[in-house]
Amino acid sequence: PIPLPEVHLDPPENGEQVVNLATWMWVDPAAWQPVAATASAGGVTVTASAQPQSVRWDMGNGDVVTCTGPGTPYDSSRPASEQQTECSYTYRRSSASAPGGVFKATATATWRVTWTAQGAAGGGDLGTVSRTTNFVVRVAEIEAVNR
């Protein structure tokens, strides 16, 4: 089976994101690997393979980010200055006025599926398959008071 994207955010997805602070986004890198299934009958073997292509992040506020890889996990044991990601998003407003105080977001992984045959002619491109994970994001606004 083609796996659902396992969503990860930093700040962590079970906490709050912060207005004007970049949110790192990634899916489980271990699941960002090709998957294949093979079946044989009467001397013919057919293999279907799926290769991950991209993740489309619908941020729940009308904005969409598309990343061509799984994203880079944030490593809290390393200084932020030594890390970078190709997959992030910065919320510009809080989710306080959204229903339930959260943005309803999705991560949709797109996979390219191909097939090959041994023992008979055939093979080719079967198009794409998408797998979606739903999640909610609470975005807070932090204000500082100067005296």
Side-chain angles (χ1 to χ4, degrees):
I2 298 174
L4 288 168
E6 185 179 316
V7 172
H8 298 280
L9 305 175
D10 196 90
E13 58 272 12
N14 57 356
E16 293 180 332
Q17 304 309 302
V18 179
V19 170
N20 293 324
L21 176 70
T23 298
W24 282 41
M25 308 174 303
W26 69 95
V27 296
D28 181 10
W32 195 259
Q33 305 294 325
V35 294
T38 300
S40 297
V44 176
T45 300
V46 176
T47 301
S49 301
Q51 176 78 34
Q53 302 291 298
S54 64
V55 180
R56 182 182 187 273
W57 299 84
D58 180 330
M59 304 312 295
N61 62 354
D63 290 347
V64 173
V65 175
T66 300
C67 302
T68 57
T72 303
Y74 188 81
D75 182 353
S76 60
S77 69
R78 294 177 45 213
S81 62
E82 293 178 8
Q83 299 186 70
Q84 64 182 28
T85 184
E86 67 285 352
C87 193
S88 67
Y89 176 75
T90 302
Y91 283 96
R92 299 295 178 201
R93 64 180 178 87
S94 83
S95 60
S97 62
V102 296
F103 292 130
K104 294 178 181 177
T106 61
T108 301
T110 300
W111 298 70
R112 170 71 55 196
V113 182
T114 58
W115 69 284
T116 59
Q118 292 180 332
D125 188 352
L126 294 173
T128 59
V129 172
S130 295
R131 303 282 286 156
T132 300
T133 298
N134 299 309
F135 61 102
V136 295
V137 179
R138 184 173 305 279
V139 181
E141 196 164 8
I142 297 174
E143 295 182 20
V145 177
N146 263 343
R147 291 188 184 246

